[in-house]
Structure formats: C-alpha cells, structure tokens
C-alpha cells in the first residue's frame, strides 16, 4: 500500500465504499491466503479517494465537505465480477466493478474537490484489491481463484477512514446518500 509523505500535524485519510458481509470477510480471507499482509489492516473496499496526508486541523472541514457530497447523491448498485491486474504498472490483482463504475467515478471526482483537491498518482479506476505487492505466482493465483467471484449490493453511502502509521484503517465518519 502506498502512503504519501506525511508531515507533523498531518494524518492520512481516505474515502471508501464498504463491502458488506459475507463478501468482506470472504475477500479478506482470500487476500490473507494469498500472502498479502495488508489484508489484515485494510478491509476489502472500493477506494473513492486513496489515503492522502491532510492537516489534522482540517478534519472538521473535510467531514463537512464529504457530508455535502453525500447529500447530493443517490444510492446506487455495485456489482463486482471477474478479475484483472494492473501489471506491469503495479503488482495488483483485483476484482472488476462491472456495474456502478460511472457512479464511483463521479463520486470520486466530487470528493476530490474543496479541501480534498489533489492530483492522483494514477487515473482513478474503481476496483476491489485481491492481492498487492506479492509475487507473480500469487497475483496469478488471485486472478484464477477469484475469476468466478460475483457480488452485488446497493451502496447506501461511503466512509472516511483514518490510516495509522502501520497502514491500519479505522473509520472516522459515515456519509449516507440522500434517499428520495
């Protein structure tokens, strides 16, 4: 997992779409079984905003911003199905978002405004990581083992996570989408 440099008075924050049970546990077990130790620190999720370093004093402003983003959105369906990889650019195997990709992209664009306006390292591509920074045989195994995996659910909102220096994610705030 990549964490950008963090200065004194800053913390790492990221925004994610949670994956519900039973799939989050199933995917976590799979990730750990592939030798990816980050699976024990990072629950399976779809990244909306990767961890970035932000001033601790901006936390309230960031939460207000994300609440505003959520209030302008409606719940949407996500389906994850099939596998792919970012190799050779990045040693990652992932599950593909086959439904809800446009909604994820639009949400990510809105989140990355105001106090969270920053430049991405890579173009945004919604996905669920299966294995990261493991050897090629583990990436190949992840692609094979999860090839038939499929899950679909309604996304009610997203969450802001804090990432500690060990890479452990913990929830800071939940943001429900507006329902009509």
């Amino acid at each position: 997992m990549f964490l950008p440099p963090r200065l004194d008075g800053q913390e790492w924050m990221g925004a994610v779409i949670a994956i519900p049970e039973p799939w989050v546990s199933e995917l976590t077990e799979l990730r750990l079984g592939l030798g990816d130790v980050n699976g024990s620190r990072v629950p399976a999720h779809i990244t909306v905003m990767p961890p970035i370093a932000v001033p601790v004093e901006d936390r309230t402003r960031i939460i207000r911003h994300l609440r505003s983003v959520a209030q302008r959105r409606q719940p949407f369906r996500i389906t994850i199905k099939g596998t792919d990889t970012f190799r050779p650019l990045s040693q990652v195997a992932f599950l593909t978002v086959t439904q809800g990709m446009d909604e994820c992209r639009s949400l990510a664009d809105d989140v990355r405004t105001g106090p969270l306006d920053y430049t991405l390292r890579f173009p945004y591509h919604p996905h669920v990581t299966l294995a990261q920074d493991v050897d090629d045989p583990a990436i190949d195994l992840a692609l094979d083992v999860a090839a038939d995996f499929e899950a679909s659910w309604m996304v009610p909102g997203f969450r802001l996570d804090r990432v500690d220096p060990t890479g452990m994610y913990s929830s800071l705030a939940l943001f429900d989408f507006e329902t009509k």
Side-chain angles (χ1 to χ4, degrees):
M1 164 183 19
F2 173 80
L3 291 173
R6 183 179 61 120
L7 305 173
D8 285 342
Q10 292 184 323
E11 62 185 339
W12 287 301
M13 290 185 184
V16 302
I17 294 171
I19 296 176
E21 291 292 358
W23 304 299
V24 68
S25 292
E26 189 177 326
L27 293 171
T28 297
E29 288 175 26
L30 174 60
R31 193 167 178 180
L32 290 170
L34 292 164
D36 185 345
V37 295
N38 285 322
S40 65
R41 296 183 200 113
V42 184
H45 64 274
I46 297 169
T47 298
V48 175
M49 179 187 78
I52 62 170
V54 297
V56 172
E57 64 193 33
D58 286 354
R59 185 186 290 181
T60 300
R61 185 171 161 233
I62 289 167
I63 289 172
R64 275 196 308 263
H65 165 68
L66 295 177
R67 188 176 299 121
S68 173
V69 167
Q71 290 171 345
R72 296 188 308 264
R73 305 210 149 257
Q74 297 292 309
F76 61 95
R77 179 163 293 283
I78 284 277
T79 301
I80 51 177
K81 180 180 179 180
T83 57
D84 204 348
T85 181
F86 290 129
R87 287 187 299 193
L89 185 61
S90 182
Q91 194 70 0
V92 174
F94 62 88
L95 287 165
T96 304
V97 174
T98 58
Q99 183 179 7
M101 180 154 317
D102 290 340
E103 291 89 342
C104 287
R105 283 188 177 124
S106 176
L107 175 60
D109 287 345
D110 283 353
V111 164
R112 289 188 321 271
T113 61
L116 297 174
D117 185 17
Y118 71 98
T119 303
L120 291 170
R121 281 179 60 221
F122 299 108
Y124 179 72
H125 182 81
H127 65 280
V128 179
T129 299
L130 291 169
Q132 181 174 359
D133 299 328
V134 294
D135 60 18
D136 280 325
I139 294 289
D140 293 338
L141 182 60
L143 296 172
D144 185 50
V145 169
D148 294 328
F149 183 91
E150 182 174 355
S152 187
W153 69 95
M154 289 300 292
V155 175
F158 63 101
R159 133 182 133 223
L160 178 66
D161 284 352
R162 179 180 177 278
V163 183
D164 75 15
T166 70
M168 181 76 72
Y169 277 49
S170 60
S171 181
L172 277 175
L174 300 174
F175 305 97
D176 293 330
F177 295 138
E178 189 70 30
T179 55
K180 290 185 181 180

